[in-house]
Amino acid sequence: MPPFLQHWPARLSSALPALLFAAAAIWSLVVLVGWIGGPILDMFGFRQTQTAISSAYMLKDGLALRYQTPVLGAPWSIPFEFPTYQILTAILAMAGLSVDVAGRIVSYVFFLGCLHPIATLCRHAGIGREGFLVTGALFLSSPLYVFWSRTVMIESAALFFALVWLALLLDLLAADRPARRPVASWALCLTAGVLAVLTKSTTFPAFCVAGCLLVLGAVLRDVPDLRRPTVADLRGGVTRLTVAVGACLLPIALGYVWVLYSDQVKAENPFGALLTSAALAKWNFGTLDQRVSAALWSDVVLGRAVPQVLGAAAWIAPLVLGAGLVLRRVSWPLAVFAAAFAVPFAVFTNLHMVHGYYQYANGLFLVLAVGIAVAAIGQQRSRIAALALLALFLAGNAWTFRTIFYPPMTANWSASEVVRIGEKVQALVPEDAGIVVLGQDWSSEVPYYSDRRALAVAAWFPPELAQAALADPDAALGEAAFGGVVACGASDLYPPALRPMIESFKAGRRVLATAGGCRLLSPEQDPAAGGANRLQVTELLAAARVERADVPVGPVPEGFFAHPSSRLVASAPAGERLDGLYGFLDKVWAEGGNPPPVTFTLTARTADGSDMQLLARTLDPAAGEAARLPQTFSVEVPGVAGTTTELVFETAISGTDNSWGWTYWGNAW
């Protein structure tokens, strides 16, 4: 065997951790770059757009601590977290990037920044550089971290600052005499802690637990004889633990000052007052029943969080952790990190049950525990076994990412009804106007992609507040003139107490545009139109007789699908007025379709057997944008009062190619 091949197994074994680390880093970067330009709706678009819209309005109105999240009417500021991440995103977007892209980049940079303090933690755990490569590879390939680190979220920023605080705390307190450490190091440590709390307050408590326990471990390790500690040992240990607790409490205290300020600002908005820290206490912390439930520990922790953090090989993690605990050199940090992973579930119970991204704050502790255990197995028992375990975890991570996160990440969110109706709002509603959004909870999705300030009417609004806002939308929108209504879904999304006022608010408003289940309605309201007894096109067609349908017809969110060629015959009471819509489904344009011209006709078959044409129009999308928008018609049903008349709804094309002929009839109100 040639000399250079004689030692290749050992060389490969030595280089493999670094190679796997590099492969994981490249994989996370590919995921970021490959899908960096899509809408931020893939998962928890509610939270992503809430973050992004604040950065977007910083670009318009300047950087501010009293930042705007214009979704609950005026005043527009309803601050939650300190806008560390939002400010950085806005600054990067000033270079010409979209807020979506800038926010993704900021998240990913903080994600990579976590590697440096992780290396420090690995050093304190006694597993060295190679142990860091093992742990770093697990972190960089973790399905949960790969996905959420390329979203517009504050999670990676909060995690980075908390990790820096913990790493510096251990550097400062790992040895005795903390008071002799450089003042600059203490200032940096406390600054990182403050930023961690301000950026996301729910991230920091688990790090406090980990920090104090790790310092306790260092104190116990430094006592030569635990059965007979000296006065100096006790004094030094108490001092270090006191300093560690103080390093926790100071950031939390300053974070509480921010909470008081943000609550005061939110209280200026009648709906923001419903979102103060006191009002959301139960939502944040959950209940005792939740804390002891199988839904938390079995479904959320074991069924969702652990597999998303450790991938498909999570089933082997208990064996790996058990082996690591047997190796006494790493048993204490391993146990501390495992405990720190569990603490947030017991404290912020409801938040972790509802939000799949909240585990970003504590999943790292599980990664650290497993990484330390794998590295210790390799260093103290079997290197081959450790490398095999690392490869198994990385393969499982790839599989889990492909199964859980890849489908929503790669979906065509540009064709979603939120993005499409947002484009319609931008085209039809003046830039300085505001909109009322119905059927979207208090989500920022429609306001963000509409680029308009909004009042999003949520189902949990008190009826008296909702009634006051809907009675005078101009007042609710402050300086933004009332420019229209975006109504998504049916009114039964609201509780019975709100449903009548929602229906009344929508009644008599013309449909200006449609996108899936969302409609843009006019700001003007005709009291005589759209009443409860008004004829509805969709109701007529739902009971219609199908005389021709080249493609199956039926209800769609916009109305009633009638692909050409089609002929539907419905009965309507003579003498009544019928207002309706017709046109192409908006998703034709979202999916890049090129439909042929389609002719829409509406004919009345009278009692004497004659036909009366009520509508005839050909829409040619190639003629311009106007042909792509919903078209309205208003006709009086002919015939003798008290009788019924058959109405024939037809769609047809002149040629034979009816691909993309996605046409519909719908209600005008």
Side-chain angles (χ1 to χ4, degrees), residues 158-483:
L159 181 65
F160 168 78
F161 291 123
L163 274 170
V164 170
W165 173 87
L166 180 58
L168 288 172
L169 184 75
L170 294 183
D171 278 346
L172 291 165
L173 296 180
D176 206 351
R177 303 181 187 277
R180 297 186 180 182
R181 300 300 180 186
V183 173
S185 296
W186 277 112
L188 184 59
C189 175
L190 294 175
T191 299
V194 170
L195 286 173
V197 174
L198 292 176
T199 302
K200 187 166 187 178
S201 59
T202 55
T203 296
F204 191 64
F207 283 82
C208 281
V209 172
C212 290
L213 289 177
L214 290 172
V215 170
L216 174 62
V219 168
L220 297 177
R221 182 194 61 213
D222 292 343
V223 176
D225 187 353
L226 289 175
R227 291 173 298 180
R228 297 179 180 178
T230 65
V231 173
D233 292 333
L234 293 174
R235 184 186 302 114
V238 170
T239 300
R240 291 158 74 184
L241 287 172
T242 301
V243 172
V245 172
C248 290
L249 294 180
L250 179 61
I252 291 174
L254 293 178
Y256 183 66
V257 172
W258 169 260
V259 169
L260 294 177
Y261 168 75
S262 62
D263 280 351
Q264 183 180 14
V265 174
K266 280 187 287 214
E268 297 174 10
N269 180 302
F271 301 106
L274 305 173
L275 299 171
T276 62
S277 57
L280 294 179
K282 185 176 180 180
W283 171 259
N284 292 334
F285 296 105
T287 65
L288 179 60
D289 287 343
Q290 286 178 307
R291 286 178 172 80
V292 297
S293 67
L296 172 64
W297 299 106
S298 178
D299 298 343
V300 173
V301 178
L302 297 179
R304 186 185 74 199
V306 173
Q308 289 187 8
V309 171
L310 295 179
W315 59 272
I316 204 173
L319 299 176
V320 174
L321 294 174
L325 288 171
V326 172
L327 304 174
R328 297 185 62 184
R329 185 163 63 88
V330 297
S331 59
W332 182 254
L334 193 155
V336 168
F337 290 139
F341 169 71
V343 164
F345 294 108
V347 178
F348 304 107
T349 305
N350 188 64
L351 292 175
H352 279 272
M353 294 184 75
V354 174
H355 303 112
Y357 60 86
Y358 256 74
Q359 289 79 65
Y360 197 104
N362 61 318
L364 175 64
F365 291 119
L366 188 58
V367 171
L368 284 166
V370 171
I372 289 170
V374 171
I377 290 171
Q379 293 169 0
Q380 300 182 44
R381 291 294 185 268
S382 170
R383 183 177 181 81
I384 293 177
L387 292 174
L389 286 171
L390 178 59
L392 180 62
F393 275 114
L394 265 58
N397 284 344
W399 174 264
T400 299
F401 186 89
R402 176 66 180 85
T403 304
I404 297 177
F405 294 109
Y406 185 78
M409 184 182 74
T410 57
N412 182 18
W413 293 103
S414 296
S416 71
E417 64 182 24
V418 166
V419 174
R420 285 154 44 207
I421 201 66
E423 293 169 348
K424 305 298 183 185
V425 172
Q426 290 190 46
L428 299 173
V429 175
E431 188 174 353
D432 59 350
I435 57 175
V436 173
V437 181
L438 305 175
Q440 289 274 300
D441 197 22
W442 64 290
S443 172
S444 302
E445 293 177 15
V446 169
Y448 178 62
Y449 282 105
S450 299
D451 193 22
R452 299 293 184 270
R453 290 180 168 88
L455 167 64
V457 181
W460 46 267
F461 280 6
E464 62 277 9
L465 288 181
Q467 179 64 52
L470 295 177
D472 191 356
D474 281 298
L477 291 169
E479 71 276 13
F482 178 39

Side-chain angles (χ1 to χ4, degrees), residues 96-140:
L97 299 175
S98 70
V99 171
D100 290 7
V101 172
R104 292 185 190 275
I105 292 174
V106 171
S107 287
Y108 186 77
V109 169
F110 275 119
F111 168 59
L112 293 184
C114 291
L115 291 171
H116 187 273
I118 287 174
T120 301
L121 298 182
C122 290
R123 173 168 54 82
H124 282 285
I127 58 174
R129 176 181 177 275
E130 189 169 89
F132 161 67
L133 293 175
V134 170
T135 306
L138 292 174
F139 175 64
L140 290 170

